[in-house]
């Protein structure tokens, strides 16, 4: 999505930046990990395919992607690649099938040493808020593996309700309608500042 190519979302502990060519090699290394492939239901790609995927995400109006930076790490050294810890995405679902404008939210904290620090929590809430404010999303869905107890617990704490389990795919689907009380709650949990990425 080109809407977010020139901005970054700044929170207390994380910064969300557009996914660019310079990030692809590290992202590609992450996605060679079998555990991450399983958790994200992804197939391993060649490096060239990963570059093509990055470009397609940039061009596709239905995919909004940011990479997650450890803010303190970035502010120490100013190196985005060293500070990268994961990614978060919103996929806009086909509107003719939806009563409400719906986005599917995803989060991945790929760096093992960055897990358990609530980076996933903060990044997801920043992304949810961005989707509401900038993309007009009225309802969110989240799909995770039924073995991913951390993600299941996180979405539950965020107010999502389980609506479906598909044992054959080992998947759980959650849903949350956007309402004023929920928006207020998100804004109490996170501080979102949108800044120019190109300065």
């Amino acid at each position: 999505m080109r809407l977010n190519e020139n901005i970054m979302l700044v929170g207390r502990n994380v910064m969300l930046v557009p996914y660019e060519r310079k990030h692809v090699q590290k992202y590609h290394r992450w996605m060679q990990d079998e555990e991450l492939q399983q958790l994200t239901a992804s197939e391993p790609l060649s490096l060239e395919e990963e570059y093509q995927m990055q470009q397609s995400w940039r061009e596709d109006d239905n995919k909004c992607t940011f990479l997650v930076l450890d803010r303190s790490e970035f502010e120490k050294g100013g190196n985005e690649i060293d500070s990268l810890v994961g990614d978060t995405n919103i996929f806009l679902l086909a509107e003719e099938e939806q009563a409400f404008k719906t986005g599917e939210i995803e989060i991945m904290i790929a760096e093992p040493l960055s897990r358990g620090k609530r980076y996933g929590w903060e990044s997801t809430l920043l992304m949810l808020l961005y989707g509401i404010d900038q993309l007009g999303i009225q309802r969110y869905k989240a799909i995770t593996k039924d073995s991913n107890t951390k993600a299941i617990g996180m979405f539950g704490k965020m107010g999502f309700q389980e609506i479906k389990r598909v044992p054959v795919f080992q998947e759980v689907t959650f849903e949350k309608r956007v309402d004023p009380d929920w928006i207020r709650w998100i804004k109490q949990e996170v501080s979102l500042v949108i800044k120019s990425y190109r300065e």
Side-chain angles (χ1 to χ4, degrees):
M1 181 177 287
R2 290 203 168 272
L3 178 68
N4 71 321
E5 68 179 334
N6 295 312
I7 62 165
M8 61 181 175
L9 312 184
V10 181
R12 294 185 185 97
N13 302 299
V14 297
M15 300 166 63
L16 306 186
V17 300
Y19 183 24
E20 302 205 313
R21 282 186 66 83
K22 64 186 177 185
H23 304 126
V24 169
Q25 289 199 23
K26 184 167 185 178
Y27 193 92
H28 178 67
R29 286 197 303 273
W30 286 341
M31 297 315 296
Q32 302 309 298
D33 181 88
E34 288 184 12
E35 181 188 9
L36 285 178
Q37 290 171 19
Q38 185 176 22
L39 289 172
T40 59
S42 301
E43 296 292 327
L45 301 177
S46 69
L47 182 58
E48 184 55 41
E49 288 170 330
E50 203 75 73
Y51 276 110
Q52 292 170 6
M53 185 69 73
Q54 179 271 331
Q55 192 61 36
S56 76
W57 287 352
R58 173 59 58 85
E59 301 293 337
D60 191 331
D61 288 337
N62 292 320
K63 296 176 184 174
C64 183
T65 298
F66 284 98
L67 296 188
V68 180
L69 306 186
D70 177 329
R71 181 175 175 178
S72 64
E73 188 68 29
F74 178 75
E75 290 178 344
K76 273 190 273 183
N79 186 312
E80 275 188 28
I81 307 305
D82 291 346
S83 308
L84 281 178
V85 299
D87 77 331
T88 182
N89 309 290
I90 293 173
F91 298 98
L92 298 179
L93 304 181
E95 289 198 46
E96 62 270 14
E97 301 170 14
Q98 309 292 332
F100 307 97
K101 188 167 187 180
T102 303
E104 182 183 327
I105 183 78
E106 292 185 343
I107 180 69
M108 174 183 75
I109 300 300
E111 288 293 332
L113 294 177
S114 298
R115 295 174 190 158
K117 297 183 177 181
R118 293 177 66 86
Y119 293 166
W121 173 270
E122 185 179 11
S123 300
T124 301
L125 291 177
L126 292 173
M127 193 63 154
L128 291 170
L129 200 54
Y130 178 79
I132 294 164
D133 290 345
Q134 303 298 319
L135 305 177
I137 291 176
Q138 301 165 298
R139 177 176 60 187
Y140 278 105
K141 290 189 176 184
I143 301 172
T144 189
K145 289 290 183 183
D146 58 15
S147 58
N148 192 344
T149 55
K150 288 184 179 178
I152 290 169
M154 184 187 78
F155 286 118
K157 288 176 184 173
M158 289 180 177
F160 283 73
Q161 300 292 318
E162 181 181 325
I163 60 166
K164 184 170 65 172
R165 282 188 182 242
V166 184
V168 68
F169 295 122
Q170 302 171 323
E171 287 181 346
V172 186
T173 300
F174 295 88
E175 188 174 280
K176 178 72 178 97
R177 277 286 311 277
V178 174
D179 61 60
D181 287 342
W182 193 52
I183 294 171
R184 279 193 291 273
W185 173 78
I186 294 175
K187 289 181 176 179
Q188 290 170 354
E189 286 288 314
V190 294
S191 170
L192 169 60
V193 178
I194 299 178
K195 294 186 176 180
S196 171
Y197 180 62
R198 301 298 172 190
E199 290 179 354

